[in-house]
Amino acid sequence: MTTETTKEIPEAAAVPPPGAAPAKKVSQGHRRLLTRRDRLTLGLMAGLPTILHIALVWVTALASVALAFTTWDGIGFDSIKWVGLENFKELFSNNPQFWPAVQHNVIWFVVLIVIPTPLGLFLAVQLDKRIRFSRVYQTAFFLPVVMSMAVIGFVWQLIYNPDTGLINSVIGANEPGKYIDWIGDPDLNLWAILVAASWRHTGYMMILYLAGLKGVDPSLREASALDGAGEWQTFKNVIFPTLRPTNTVVLVVTIIEALRAFDLVFVFNKGAQGTELLSILVTNNIIGESSRIGYGSAIAVVLLLISLVVIIPYLVATFRKERRA
């Protein structure tokens, strides 16, 4: 008796009978990527920071703008009274500290743009030459930027101490009758604080310019060398013009740093005796003993408008550049 074995052919089984509709292909790789728990987690991760940002930045900013036209001592919302432009009129005409504060903010900007910015560019150019221990130098110069402004203030307070400070000890002004009060003297304290601010700002500018120099096309340097240009001519005519975007960022950052200056001054002498700044006036009126929240908000609005004058043109230029690209 012979037995016939039949072999099953998978291809034949896959062929549909005549007249039947073709079977739909099932995508083997199609899977549900996000479960309900994943969507909930992503929603919390994206939603909570957004809510906090809106509440702590946008709501408070709009509330400050609204309070600038009112008087409020901060005790109960029923004590808020609408006064219109009275806060701004008093600010521009009857506040003896306002215009000196504006002047000090302008001086702050001029000093930062004149001293630490060129010094940071010089350090960046030297470090871009790939000298030995360049990483060590970068870390040393950038370390003040990482430190808190309050810590920098405490450090420089020790340096400026009239009795045991480093500066007076070096120049021999730490003896009775020869003391130099770097913080208490209204003619010196602002400049002393600006030295500390410049010390920190130099490292910031160095990193920005160093990043810009890394993006310079090496062929430009080679072409300049082939033309017989010296190091200074190459920098002035070839490298520096290519740093125009970096210079724009540096200018905006320096203006913002000058307007937001607060920590150093507050640590040194709380903005008294010739170191008034707009940020100090805002703080003293809002959380000070007077609790003139409406008046302090008016100063904050002026500071906001000055900042927008700088920030908006920068954003417009940036967006136009992106559209062209």
Side-chain angles (χ1 to χ4, degrees):
M1 183 177 182
T2 61
T3 59
E4 294 182 357
T5 60
T6 60
K7 297 181 180 180
E8 296 181 358
I9 302 175
E11 291 80 358
V15 176
K24 295 182 179 180
K25 295 183 179 179
V26 179
S27 178
Q28 299 295 330
H30 178 72
R31 292 187 179 87
R32 192 175 183 179
L33 299 179
L34 296 177
T35 63
R36 183 178 181 182
R37 183 177 180 181
D38 295 334
R39 292 198 300 270
L40 179 60
T41 302
L42 290 176
L44 291 175
M45 293 176 63
L48 288 179
T50 303
I51 294 174
L52 290 175
H53 177 77
I54 293 175
L56 298 179
V57 177
W58 289 100
V59 173
T60 54
L62 295 176
S64 297
V65 174
L67 290 173
F69 301 94
T70 65
T71 59
W72 186 34
D73 57 4
I75 303 176
F77 293 105
D78 54 347
S79 62
I80 301 177
K81 296 180 180 179
W82 182 266
V83 296
L85 298 176
E86 291 299 323
N87 288 328
F88 295 95
K89 292 179 181 179
E90 182 181 355
L91 178 63
F92 292 121
S93 60
N94 298 328
N95 191 337
Q97 294 181 321
F98 175 72
W99 292 112
V102 174
Q103 181 182 1
H104 294 160
N105 278 105
V106 173
I107 293 174
W108 201 287
F109 165 71
V110 172
V111 171
L112 291 185
I113 206 69
V114 169
I115 298 177
T117 299
L119 184 56
L121 175 59
F122 173 77
L123 293 175
V125 171
Q126 301 305 316
L127 293 176
D128 191 51
K129 297 178 181 179
R130 298 179 181 179
I131 60 177
R132 295 183 61 185
F133 307 113
S134 61
R135 296 293 183 183
V136 178
Y137 297 141
Q138 290 181 32
T139 303
F141 291 128
F142 190 70
L143 185 61
V145 184
V146 181
M147 296 172 58
S148 169
M149 294 291 286
V151 174
I152 294 176
F154 289 129
V155 170
W156 280 89
Q157 270 188 328
L158 298 176
I159 297 176
Y160 287 134
N161 188 284
D163 189 14
T164 59
L166 175 63
I167 296 179
N168 281 1
S169 298
V170 170
I171 65 178
N174 59 341
E175 300 177 0
K178 298 182 179 180
Y179 285 139
I180 298 179
D181 191 358
W182 298 97
I183 306 302
D185 191 344
D187 297 328
L188 297 176
N189 50 19
L190 180 62
W191 305 105
I193 297 173
L194 283 171
V195 170
S198 300
W199 176 66
R200 176 186 180 273
H201 198 68
T202 299
Y204 197 1
M205 297 297 100
M206 179 200 69
I207 290 298
L208 291 178
Y209 276 118
L210 190 60
L213 289 172
K214 296 298 182 184
V216 176
D217 191 353
S219 61
L220 297 177
R221 303 175 188 264
E222 297 174 359
S224 179
L226 291 176
D227 291 338
E231 184 176 353
W232 167 248
Q233 292 177 333
T234 301
F235 174 78
K236 182 180 68 173
N237 300 322
V238 178
I239 297 178
F240 190 74
T242 61
L243 295 177
R244 182 177 178 181
T246 305
N247 290 329
T248 303
V249 174
V250 165
L251 179 62
V252 173
V253 167
T254 304
I255 294 175
I256 293 175
E257 287 290 321
L259 293 176
R260 65 185 291 269
F262 172 80
D263 313 67
L264 277 177
V265 176
F266 195 81
V267 169
F268 272 100
N269 62 355
K270 294 182 173 57
Q273 300 177 351
T275 58
E276 298 87 354
L277 295 173
L278 290 176
S279 58
I280 296 293
L281 296 184
V282 173
T283 304
N284 290 340
N285 283 278
I286 291 181
I287 64 176
E289 295 180 358
S290 59
S291 294
R292 302 180 63 188
I293 296 179
Y295 189 70
S297 298
I299 304 175
V301 169
V302 172
L303 186 59
L304 175 63
L305 292 177
I306 297 174
S307 303
L308 292 178
V309 169
V310 179
I311 295 173
I312 290 179
Y314 171 72
L315 294 178
V316 171
T318 302
F319 291 148
R320 286 180 178 176
K321 184 178 179 181
E322 292 180 354
R323 289 178 180 178
R324 293 174 183 175

